[in-house]
Amino acid sequence: MIPLINTGRDLVAFIKTNSYIMKTIVVLTDFSEEAFRAAEFACEIADCLQVKKIVLYNAHAAVVAYGGSTDGAAIVSDDHELYLENMESLGLLQDRLKPLVAKDIMFEMIADNTGIPGIADWIERQKQEGESGLLVLGASHKSGFEKWLDGSTTKEVLKKNEWPVLVVPENTYLGRSIDTLVFASDMKEIEHLPTNVIHEVLNAFPAKLHLLHVQKESEDEPMAEREKAVVALHELLDTYDPEFHYRTCNDIAEGILSFATKEKASLIITVHRKHGFWQSIFSESVTRKLAEKTNIPLLSLPGLS
């Protein structure tokens, strides 16, 4: 149960007790060009985040054939061969990426024949072992963000992910420093902000910080709630000298993207609800639209439960 919180200082005291350190970057890859662009971007920020390991994760489904047995039941066909092919592809990908990172960063390759649902199981095992990290995936506006979301099983499993998620659009510029951050906040549930994760990211990227609040034109927002949230955000972020911005727009996602584009943002930061990034993708139109439409890398951080 969340304790009663009355002031910004109470919020700071409550959420400063939580900690998180990203030790690993996990790059989901299907060997597409957009996945490779995401992997390149991950390598560019690995040193800033001081991660120790990059995991190249290919989630493929076992090949199923029918009629291969006397009773006509489905059987798995050539799964080992597919595994070897994918491991070879991961090896080639690793060879292309190694020169982009420091020599002390380790690489690990995983070809998982249980498909995308296996990712959540793998992450859960890492959490049980005390590991934490960043999940990175590429998104193409041509093929659509939907390709990562197909299948009811995938949806149910990925909803549970509690790691930060970085969505890298296919047209992301590489080789540029991250010098402008847009932190989009809805000024709600401030007590669920993952303060230590936010500080870890802001310390990694000493960039100009814009804190943006966009609300719908028709929405009557209680001023007392906003003022309390502003006080808390000032106390949490004043070290980074943020600029506060308030906008009204009927489409909140479009408002965020428009502002970020105008400011030439290097990265958009959001906080997804305590039920997880993937749950937000399926239930919150703002999160979904941002992930689908952004031309700027989007970092979604897990809110505290």
Side-chain angles (χ1 to χ4, degrees):
M1 183 175 67
I2 301 298
L4 183 62
I5 295 173
N6 296 313
T7 69
R9 290 186 182 277
D10 290 337
L11 288 174
V12 173
F14 172 68
I15 55 187
K16 271 191 174 180
T17 59
N18 297 275
S19 62
Y20 188 96
I21 298 177
M22 284 181 265
K23 301 176 183 177
T24 303
I25 291 179
V26 180
V27 180
L28 303 186
T29 182
D30 59 359
F31 308 119
S32 63
E33 285 302 312
E34 57 264 28
F36 181 66
R37 177 58 59 95
E40 288 183 297
F41 188 80
C43 288
E44 285 194 353
I45 65 174
D47 189 49
C48 294
L49 292 173
Q50 299 182 346
V51 298
K52 302 301 181 184
K53 181 169 63 176
I54 295 177
V55 178
L56 304 178
Y57 198 119
N58 171 252
H60 66 276
V63 177
V64 177
Y66 289 87
S69 62
T70 56
D71 59 1
I75 62 170
V76 176
S77 174
D78 297 326
D79 184 56
H80 183 64
E81 182 178 344
L82 179 61
Y83 169 80
L84 293 177
E85 290 177 359
N86 287 337
M87 285 300 291
E88 182 178 0
S89 296
L90 287 172
L92 293 173
L93 176 60
Q94 176 183 264
D95 290 344
R96 295 175 68 183
L97 296 175
K98 268 190 171 182
L100 305 181
V101 299
K103 293 182 178 179
D104 59 345
I105 293 181
M106 297 172 52
F107 276 82
E108 181 179 340
M109 303 181 298
I110 299 176
D112 182 0
N113 68 357
T114 62
I116 297 228
I119 297 169
D121 294 337
W122 183 86
I123 289 177
E124 184 60 32
R125 289 196 296 272
Q126 306 312 301
K127 287 170 57 179
Q128 292 175 0
E129 295 173 4
E131 293 293 324
S132 54
L134 172 68
L135 194 63
V136 178
L137 59 91
S140 167
H141 297 303
K142 294 178 182 178
S143 60
F145 192 71
E146 290 288 338
K147 76 175 186 176
W148 289 105
L149 310 179
D150 289 338
S152 58
T153 302
T154 297
K155 293 178 182 179
E156 291 303 316
V157 175
L158 289 182
K159 283 178 184 179
K160 302 174 184 177
N161 172 55
E162 294 297 336
W163 280 14
V165 178
L166 177 63
V167 178
V168 182
E170 61 179 337
N171 54 356
T172 297
Y173 290 108
L174 300 174
R176 293 186 179 184
S177 60
I178 294 181
D179 52 20
T180 305
L181 305 175
V182 171
F183 181 12
S185 171
D186 60 6
M187 299 292 187
K188 298 176 182 176
E189 299 186 12
I190 300 298
E191 67 272 20
H192 293 301
L193 284 181
T195 310
N196 294 77
V197 189
I198 293 171
H199 286 176
E200 184 179 347
V201 171
L202 297 182
N203 289 335
F205 307 116
K208 178 61 183 177
L209 176 62
H210 296 277
L211 196 144
L212 173 66
H213 173 54
V214 179
Q215 72 177 77
K216 290 187 176 181
E217 295 175 356
S218 58
E219 191 173 74
D220 185 17
E221 186 176 55
M223 289 302 298
E225 291 300 315
R226 182 200 280 190
E227 289 174 2
K228 185 171 69 173
V230 169
V231 170
L233 289 170
H234 266 295
E235 294 201 26
L236 292 174
L237 301 175
D238 269 358
T239 302
Y240 306 98
D241 193 25
E243 288 187 10
F244 282 67
H245 307 267
Y246 304 91
R247 299 288 187 272
T248 56
C249 184
N250 284 327
D251 189 322
I252 293 178
E254 290 290 350
I256 294 171
L257 293 176
S258 175
F259 177 87
T261 300
K262 178 184 175 183
E263 297 297 331
K264 299 180 180 179
S266 311
L267 188 68
I268 298 173
I269 303 172
T270 64
V271 175
H272 54 256
R273 297 291 189 227
K274 58 184 178 180
H275 44 58
F277 170 81
W278 295 101
Q279 177 72 23
S280 299
I281 282 294
F282 297 113
S283 62
E284 297 176 19
S285 60
V286 173
T287 307
R288 188 183 187 94
K289 286 181 179 178
L290 281 173
E292 288 179 339
K293 296 184 177 182
T294 185
N295 289 315
I296 300 168
L298 170 67
L299 177 61
S300 188
L301 306 176
L304 303 176
S305 58

